[in-house]
Amino acid sequence: MPEGHTLHRLAKLHQRRLAGGVVRVSSPQGKFAAGAAQVDGQLLTRAEAWGKHLLHHYDSGLVVHVHLGLYGKFYDSELPMGEPVGQVRMRMLGAPDGQPGFGTDLRGPTACEVLLPPEVSALTDRLGPDPLRRGADPERAWARMHRSQRPIGALLMDQKVVAGVSV
């Protein structure tokens, strides 16, 4: 299962290679076709990670939420990309600010969905602080640990206590 640092690496890559430009989004597999249609052709304003969740923010206010789960993975490529291989849930293509074209295929995620800002807030509110995010509040995690009778290992893996950690 990908750890939080993997999602932060992906968010930085997507921020650098896709954000600031219009992206083409499709769902070759078809399971994300309606969501892809909602954000296709929009400006990707930023990509960020929160624990094990990747969030792509668009200028319309819509956010694509990806949780890789056990089997999800992004496969990156320079453009042009070949035909999709396997069950590609989401394909993103872009070339912001005159950069060489970049694309990525997402296969096997637990979640790939379009969220509205209140839904993003609900998602992040139920997660504990992410130690890799600027401004994370370690006191919040400490307070939950201090009140609990559960073993420290179980608390560290609980995403409501600390987001992004697992074994």
Side-chain angles (χ1 to χ4, degrees):
M1 176 176 294
E3 310 291 347
H5 69 281
T6 300
L7 279 295
H8 280 271
R9 182 190 60 76
L10 282 168
K12 286 180 183 176
L13 175 67
H14 293 175
Q15 179 68 32
R16 187 175 69 250
R17 299 298 305 271
L18 294 167
V22 170
V23 292
R24 302 304 316 205
V25 182
S26 62
S27 180
Q29 174 191 54
K31 285 188 175 180
F32 183 61
Q38 287 181 280
V39 296
D40 182 43
Q42 289 192 31
L43 177 72
L44 177 66
T45 58
R46 92 187 138 101
E48 68 172 334
W50 193 296
K52 297 181 182 190
H53 302 267
L54 179 65
L55 303 169
H56 287 157
H57 296 265
Y58 290 88
D59 62 342
S60 64
L62 296 176
V63 177
V64 172
H65 163 240
V66 174
H67 188 289
L68 295 177
L70 287 173
Y71 303 108
K73 186 168 181 179
F74 280 95
Y75 296 84
D76 306 321
S77 175
E78 298 295 324
L79 296 184
M81 291 178 75
E83 290 297 312
V85 175
Q87 298 296 310
V88 177
R89 180 81 48 93
M90 177 176 69
R91 175 172 270 197
M92 296 178 67
L93 308 171
D97 301 329
Q99 293 182 39
F102 177 79
T104 188
D105 283 345
L106 172 63
R107 294 187 191 95
T110 297
C112 180
E113 60 189 346
V114 175
L115 301 178
L116 296 170
E119 295 168 309
V120 174
S121 292
L123 170 71
T124 58
D125 287 350
R126 74 174 179 253
L127 296 171
D130 178 344
L132 298 180
R133 288 181 62 91
R134 284 191 186 119
D137 181 6
E139 292 301 319
R140 201 169 127 220
W142 171 248
R144 282 190 119 153
M145 289 179 199
H146 188 70
R147 288 190 311 263
S148 178
Q149 298 296 313
R150 294 170 51 206
I152 189 68
L155 289 166
L156 289 173
M157 290 180 15
D158 184 340
Q159 300 300 298
K160 293 175 192 158
V161 177
V162 180
V165 180
S166 75
V167 185

